[in-house]
């Protein structure tokens, strides 16, 4: 649940960056508008790192006896998060943030499906 909350929170921040012009026109006070762009990107990068480190730990330590779950987590959750980390750092246009937002949706799905993989792996393999 913490993973889902955190990824959803990051996605909302990315959506704010994507809609920055519309929010400025409507005079909304979002972090994407209030913070300088480089600070906003640092916040996004730090939040992503705060997700990547525990997932890497769990994959390497807790699931060390469960290779299927560990591989799934690394390939379908951690690797896309690392890719997202890079894309977040270099994003400049609204389309860049739209791509990141869509990728976050996929990561949310693979993260949720990981529970099914972990359960099946523990019970059947």
């Amino acid at each position: 649940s913490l993973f889902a909350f955190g990824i959803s929170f990051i996605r909302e921040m990315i959506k704010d960056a994507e809609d920055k012009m519309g929010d400025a026109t409507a005079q909304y006070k979002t972090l994407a508008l209030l913070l300088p762009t480089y600070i906003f990107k640092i916040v996004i990068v730090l939040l992503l790192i705060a997700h990547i480190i525990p997932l890497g730990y769990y994959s390497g330590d807790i699931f060390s006896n469960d290779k299927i779950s560990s591989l799934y987590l690394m390939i379908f959750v951690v690797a896309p998060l690392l890719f997202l980390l890079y894309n977040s750092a270099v994003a400049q246009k609204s389309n860049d943030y739209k791509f990141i937002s869509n990728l976050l949706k996929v990561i949310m799905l693979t993260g949720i499906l990981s529970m099914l993989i972990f359960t099946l792996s523990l019970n059947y393999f």
Side-chain angles (χ1 to χ4, degrees):
S1 63
L2 286 175
F3 173 81
F5 171 79
I7 294 297
S8 295
F9 182 73
I10 293 168
R11 185 168 174 273
E12 289 301 319
M13 290 180 68
I14 294 295
K15 284 175 35 184
D16 286 345
E18 181 184 346
D19 300 331
K20 197 172 182 179
M21 294 300 191
D23 289 348
T25 304
Q27 297 180 341
Y28 294 143
K29 304 283 188 221
T30 65
L31 279 179
L33 289 172
L34 295 174
L35 297 176
T37 302
Y38 75 97
I39 298 289
F40 181 79
K41 285 183 180 185
I42 289 171
V43 170
I44 295 294
V45 165
L46 290 175
L47 288 171
L48 287 169
I49 290 170
H51 281 74
I52 292 168
I53 290 173
L55 288 172
Y57 169 77
Y58 288 131
S59 181
D61 187 46
I62 294 175
F63 296 126
S64 63
N65 295 327
D66 183 2
K67 302 296 183 207
I68 294 170
S69 296
S70 184
L71 267 171
Y72 178 89
L73 197 61
M74 292 304 285
I75 293 170
F76 294 106
V77 182
V78 175
L81 281 173
L82 289 170
F83 179 70
L84 188 78
L85 182 72
Y86 170 77
N87 281 290
S88 297
V90 299
Q92 293 180 346
K93 298 182 233 167
S94 179
N95 284 343
D96 298 335
Y97 289 109
K98 185 174 182 81
F99 171 75
I100 292 167
S101 177
N102 288 332
L103 183 56
L104 278 165
K105 287 180 189 177
V106 172
I107 293 170
M108 277 191 265
L109 177 64
T110 60
I112 290 167
L113 289 176
S114 70
M115 292 184 284
L116 178 64
I117 299 297
F118 299 155
T119 303
L120 290 174
S121 180
L122 291 173
N123 291 329
Y124 299 107
F125 299 111

